[in-house]
Amino acid sequence: MQHYSGFGLVKHALSYHENWQRAWRNPTPKKKYDVIVVGGGGHGLATAYYLAKEHGITNVAVVEKGWLGGGNTARNTTIVRSNYLWDEAAWLYEHAMKLWEGLSQDLNYNVMYSQRGVMNLGHTLQDMRDIHRRVNANRLNGIDGEVLDVKQIQEIVPIMDCSKNTRYPIMGASWQPRGGVARHDAVAWGFARGADALGVDLLQQTEVTGIRKNGNKVLGVETTRGFIAADTVGVVTAGNSGVLAKMAGFQLPIESHPLQALVSEPMKPILDTVVMSNKVHGYVSQSDKGDLVIGAGIDGYNGYGQRGSYATIEHTLQAIVEMFPMFSRVRMNRQWGGIVDTCPDACPIISATPVGGLFFNCGWGTGGFKATPGSGNVFAATLAAGKAHPLAAPFSIDRFISGKLIDEHGAAGVAH
Amino acid sequence: MLHIYCPHCAETREEEEFRPKGEAHIARPVEPEATSDEDWGNYLFFRKNPRGLHHELWYHAAGCRKFFNVTRDTVSYQILETYKVGQKPSVTADKGAAK
């Protein structure tokens, strides 16, 4: 793998940047792999990368029906934080956060991780009680967090309407300074390049059409490029997990919904943090190229069509304009929908399945992006050992039978 | 924007008047005490989530405030029929949808 550096940039400038090495190969599938990862998004590519890097398993294929990072990785609002309420979730997301902090160095690829802080606003007394509780829980878990009053909020975000003249006046906020944003495409590309360099085969334009089993043991996957065998298969296909589970002959406690986001025209830097509000329900940050990245809730009904409804756009923009009246005349450039697999307790499933050798990593709902490196890391460990990584163990599918749910609706940021 | 025919109001109204309430035809276990944890889990949490035809429960929140069922395609979002709770759908995935 060609090492990226400032010196390399200067050197390649002399040949007009025409001699850069390809970031990853485009191999033909082998007959058999040790591990197949289904889904070439951020989580799948991270899984393959950590399998090769931390567990020495390099005979790995990532099978992707479209192109790398073309699904939900390309369709989110790029926010990274770890301020979850319950221990199990907080540990998992904090694990991811720690990996984020060294990710660009680790991958030798600039994922543009920017720790600009994440603010969750409170608009009611109950919001403020929940915020105090969550910040205290975070600090007990060694996760940074503070409760801000209105004056402090106004200092950090001067353009926000913190007056009492709004329908739901802002009363305070939780604040996680280590949170921020990362460049979503770079995350996928960085993991892809890193995995490829370690010998992982990235098979694009290869759709899984079936899962072959012998009795209760997985044999491999049927694809549009023929059958590929493997002893271990890890499925990381957000938005289609239910479809894949059906191919393997079981059901998941998951419902798929469209979640949409939109970006405005680019403008000069005006907002240098991430602002989220659960109550009026919108969240906004400004990307490095200047556009406002705006998101809100999921459509209430199940859907696989990657688009959202007008009603949700209106609801979202009402919230944004309520918080930032000065954005009322900003034009929106693009809108898109991703399909999120939501679990009844707003927490993911990282689990073995009724089929031997088949593992699922799914159900991240509306908050999968922030977990990308951590999710891949614990799932790789799970696939390598054949049993759950300690951080992944509470997220077993069994919790929907035992009732030991991890109810994170309050910290999920999006109602679902 | 979906346009939904409410079988109680006998009128087609815009999506915003309605609230989706998830999968339809989910029967509560008849004998709670004799029901295993697994069956309770299935009843509470496991849903069909099909890619294609889906029977779902809707609530006419800003209208008659009654519940009814909808048969809808989850890929095209086309609504194929609406019917009252207690009735059976005339369009099902195995019978084939009206094209």
Side-chain angles (χ1 to χ4, degrees):
Chain A
M1 179 176 82
Q2 190 172 31
H3 187 79
Y4 291 159
S5 66
F7 176 72
L9 194 64
V10 174
K11 194 181 81 180
H12 279 282
L14 298 173
S15 57
Y16 304 98
H17 295 293
E18 285 174 356
N19 297 313
W20 287 100
Q21 194 184 61
R22 288 186 71 161
W24 52 82
R25 298 163 296 131
N26 195 16
T28 27
K30 292 188 229 167
K31 289 218 161 18
K32 187 171 192 300
Y33 291 91
D34 293 339
V35 179
I36 290 176
V37 177
V38 183
H43 290 223
L45 293 166
T47 304
Y49 174 73
Y50 288 115
L51 266 174
K53 182 181 171 236
E54 294 196 345
H55 306 281
I57 303 172
T58 54
N59 188 22
V60 175
V62 176
V63 181
E64 165 59 43
K65 75 174 172 187
W67 63 94
L68 301 177
N72 283 355
T73 313
R75 292 167 177 268
N76 58 70
T77 49
T78 75
I79 297 164
V80 174
R81 59 188 176 91
S82 65
N83 54 351
Y84 277 67
L85 176 65
W86 300 107
D87 290 349
E88 298 87 345
W91 293 336
L92 183 62
Y93 288 104
E94 180 62 13
H95 180 57
M97 178 74 97
K98 290 197 170 121
L99 290 168
W100 277 115
E101 289 178 323
L103 196 60
S104 291
Q105 286 74 19
D106 184 26
L107 295 173
N108 179 230
Y109 200 100
N110 187 7
V111 299
M112 295 166 71
Y113 179 42
S114 161
Q115 294 182 292
R116 58 186 66 181
V118 172
M119 189 183 283
N120 291 79
L121 299 176
H123 300 259
T124 66
L125 280 174
Q126 186 57 47
D127 278 357
M128 291 316 296
R129 288 183 203 110
D130 291 340
I131 281 170
H132 274 106
R133 182 183 181 205
R134 185 143 54 89
V135 167
N136 287 334
N138 290 160
R139 295 177 75 141
L140 287 171
N141 274 322
I143 297 167
D144 62 321
E146 286 169 49
V147 179
L148 303 181
D149 61 25
V150 179
K151 194 161 159 282
Q152 290 168 304
I153 294 171
Q154 194 77 83
E155 274 165 21
I156 297 170
V157 192
I159 58 168
M160 191 150 60
D161 185 357
C162 293
S163 70
K164 292 205 183 319
N165 301 327
T166 56
R167 187 174 178 195
Y168 297 106
I170 292 160
M171 299 179 77
S174 71
W175 171 241
Q176 188 182 22
R178 279 163 69 235
V181 294
R183 167 97 164 96
H184 52 312
D185 290 329
V187 175
W189 297 335
F191 275 120
R193 176 169 166 270
D196 178 86
L198 295 167
V200 172
D201 279 359
L202 307 175
L203 309 175
Q204 301 180 70
Q205 311 278 313
T206 310
E207 185 172 357
V208 170
T209 53
I211 292 174
R212 194 183 286 184
K213 297 186 290 181
N214 180 14
N216 211 22
K217 173 83 185 71
V218 73
L219 293 178
V221 293
E222 314 277 358
T223 74
T224 46
R225 289 164 86 183
F227 173 72
I228 309 173
D231 299 326
T232 306
V233 176
V235 177
V236 204
T237 52
N240 279 297
S241 310
V243 179
L244 267 290
K246 204 172 169 190
M247 285 180 194
F250 59 92
Q251 210 170 2
L252 289 172
I254 272 180
E255 292 196 272
S256 304
H257 295 262
L259 172 70
Q260 62 187 323
L262 48 162
V263 290
S264 73
E265 58 191 343
M267 38 194 211
K268 287 184 178 178
I270 192 164
L271 181 64
D272 61 357
T273 185
V274 180
V275 177
M276 314 182 71
S277 168
N278 248 342
K279 175 72 185 173
V280 297
H281 209 180
Y283 44 93
V284 60
S285 63
Q286 190 172 19
S287 79
D288 290 348
K289 70 173 187 277
D291 33 19
L292 298 173
V293 184
I294 293 169
I298 58 173
D299 285 353
Y301 41 81
N302 294 30
Y304 287 95
Q306 288 175 313
R307 57 198 165 97
S309 65
Y310 292 114
T312 305
I313 298 174
E314 187 180 5
H315 179 74
T316 306
L317 292 178
Q318 276 171 355
I320 297 299
V321 172
E322 161 120 8
M323 291 188 281
F324 300 94
M326 69 181 326
F327 289 165
S328 66
R329 274 161 296 173
V330 175
R331 282 164 293 202
M332 292 299 140
N333 246 358
R334 289 182 291 123
Q335 170 269 357
W336 63 90
I339 302 305
V340 295
D341 291 343
T342 59
C343 274
D345 61 353
C347 271
I349 294 169
I350 309 171
S351 180
T353 66
V355 180
L358 180 66
F359 295 82
F360 265 67
N361 178 0
C362 60
W364 289 89
T366 56
F369 178 74
K370 68 173 82 69
T372 306
S375 159
N377 192 272
V378 298
F379 196 49
T382 303
L383 293 176
K387 67 178 175 57
H389 182 280
L391 287 177
F395 298 92
S396 161
I397 206 168
D398 295 340
R399 72 181 191 271
F400 298 100
I401 305 296
S402 70
K404 199 173 187 312
L405 304 183
I406 308 160
D407 187 356
E408 280 291 0
H409 284 276
V414 172
H416 66 262
Chain B
M1 177 75 71
L2 302 177
H3 292 98
I4 302 170
Y5 179 81
C6 173
H8 300 288
C9 302
E11 268 184 54
T12 301
R13 297 291 188 91
E14 286 184 351
E15 174 186 338
E16 279 174 272
E17 286 193 12
F18 300 89
R19 297 283 176 276
K21 294 285 177 185
E23 190 181 319
H25 307 295
I26 295 173
R28 186 183 163 85
V30 184
E31 285 184 72
E33 254 106 273
T35 304
S36 68
D37 286 353
E38 200 171 353
D39 287 344
W40 269 119
N42 279 334
Y43 162 71
L44 286 170
F45 302 124
F46 287 76
R47 296 293 177 260
K48 286 200 185 93
N49 194 29
R51 195 183 175 95
L53 273 197
H54 192 221
H55 305 291
E56 49 199 27
L57 190 64
W58 283 70
Y59 174 55
H60 197 172
C64 62
R65 301 173 69 189
K66 286 177 184 160
F67 287 83
F68 60 94
N69 293 329
V70 173
T71 305
R72 191 176 61 89
D73 189 308
T74 59
V75 180
S76 69
Y77 299 172
Q78 188 194 357
I79 291 171
L80 295 150
E81 61 173 338
T82 61
Y83 53 99
K84 288 180 183 168
V85 173
Q87 291 175 342
K88 287 213 165 83
S90 63
V91 187
T92 54
D94 45 331
K95 268 197 242 164
K99 286 275 149 64

